[in-house]
Amino acid sequence: MAVEKTLSIIKPDATRRNLTGKINARFEENGLKIVGQRRLRLTKEQAERFYEVHKERPFYGELVEFMTSGPVVVQVLQGEDAVALNRKIMGDTNPANAAEGTIRRDFAESIEANSVHGSDSLGNAEKEIHFFFSDTEIFE
């Protein structure tokens, strides 16, 4: 297995409920290391660019509105097969279908307000990480 980096975003629904520490504990307890982290509030333009891949989908506007509704925590996670491991820890996008003990099963409010975002591939992880971080902001 290869050591990888992936992007994680703790979404506004989770930061509003002060769940950052509990969510980060899940990552760390499962072998992921936080090597870059920043709390910020996305502008509409940033959210539109980040989620541009979904621009033609009916939920795009609501997604942008939600992701700009409060602060988020963007972070780089590192570990063995980090992309797949992070997705396993997060659970299914729909919290009703997520496995017991996953972040989305335990903390999500809905499909949209599902507490976390994670890169879906190694290629996207690299793009997403560089959207938020320069190489000098990631500490291994």
Side-chain angles (χ1 to χ4, degrees):
M1 288 192 255
V3 173
E4 301 172 346
K5 291 182 184 77
T6 190
L7 184 83
S8 169
I9 301 176
I10 301 177
K11 294 181 178 182
D13 64 295
T15 61
R16 176 178 38 80
R17 292 177 291 143
N18 203 30
L19 296 173
T20 301
K22 290 180 181 180
I23 291 171
N24 282 340
R26 299 278 179 103
F27 296 139
E28 293 176 333
E29 290 164 1
N30 285 282
L32 293 173
K33 181 179 176 184
I34 300 166
V35 295
Q37 185 179 68
R38 180 180 316 121
R39 186 180 203 91
L40 56 96
R41 187 161 187 161
L42 291 170
T43 65
K44 181 179 180 190
E45 294 75 23
Q46 286 173 314
E48 286 173 341
R49 278 189 297 130
F50 186 78
Y51 288 105
E52 191 171 36
V53 66
H54 299 301
K55 191 172 188 167
E56 301 305 319
R57 296 197 172 175
F59 60 82
Y60 176 73
E62 291 175 3
L63 176 61
V64 168
E65 185 177 331
F66 169 66
M67 291 301 292
T68 59
S69 68
V72 298
V73 176
V74 294
Q75 49 197 9
V76 181
L77 306 177
Q78 179 177 288
E80 296 285 333
D81 292 321
V83 173
L85 180 56
N86 182 40
R87 295 193 67 75
K88 180 179 177 185
I89 296 165
M90 289 189 311
D92 194 281
T93 301
N94 182 344
N97 298 333
E100 291 290 330
T102 61
I103 292 169
R104 288 176 173 156
R105 178 64 174 246
D106 293 346
F107 301 126
E109 295 178 320
S110 66
I111 291 176
E112 179 186 82
N114 62 13
S115 299
V116 287
H117 163 90
S119 303
D120 63 1
S121 70
L122 201 50
N124 282 340
E126 187 173 321
K127 290 176 195 168
E128 291 179 352
I129 288 167
H130 286 101
F131 186 90
F132 291 106
F133 295 91
S134 70
D135 290 339
T136 61
E137 297 173 305
I138 299 170
F139 302 92
E140 297 182 29

